[in-house]
Amino acid sequence: LKELEHAHALDPDDAETQNQIAHCYLHLGRHETAATLLHKLIDKDPTNPKHLSLLGSVYLTMGNIEKADFYLDKALGHDPLRE
């Protein structure tokens, strides 16, 4: 996480780094922090399936099935590999 935060400081607009930071927060049990970061990313790029699916996973981990289902379905709808 420390290295990712350093990379983020060097390039604060890199959405991939921010997504990885949110992923770390999820695994560290910092679910609210991960969700907040992901909502900011989705505000900037509302069709990014990586951000949407990770937010769905965060909500699933938090036990919020309704929100998890919403974001996971939305991610599938924007997945370029899905026909």
Side-chain angles (χ1 to χ4, degrees):
L1 179 60
K2 191 174 190 177
E3 290 83 9
L4 287 169
E5 289 173 338
H6 178 69
H8 175 61
L10 294 174
D11 186 2
D13 295 324
D14 182 12
E16 183 61 32
T17 298
Q18 292 178 65
N19 186 282
Q20 291 299 315
I21 290 171
H23 197 257
C24 288
Y25 287 151
L26 170 62
H27 286 285
L28 292 170
R30 296 170 60 184
H31 305 127
E32 292 294 333
T33 305
T36 299
L37 177 56
L38 289 163
H39 277 290
K40 288 178 184 177
L41 289 170
I42 291 167
D43 285 345
K44 292 178 186 174
D45 187 1
T47 62
N48 186 307
K50 283 185 175 183
H51 305 328
L52 294 165
S53 64
L54 185 54
L55 184 56
S57 296
V58 170
Y59 282 124
L60 187 61
T61 302
M62 295 171 72
N64 190 330
I65 304 304
E66 187 175 314
K67 283 188 176 181
D69 185 52
F70 174 80
Y71 285 104
L72 292 171
D73 279 348
K74 202 167 181 179
L76 283 174
H78 294 293
D79 186 348
L81 299 177
R82 188 166 187 227
E83 297 182 359

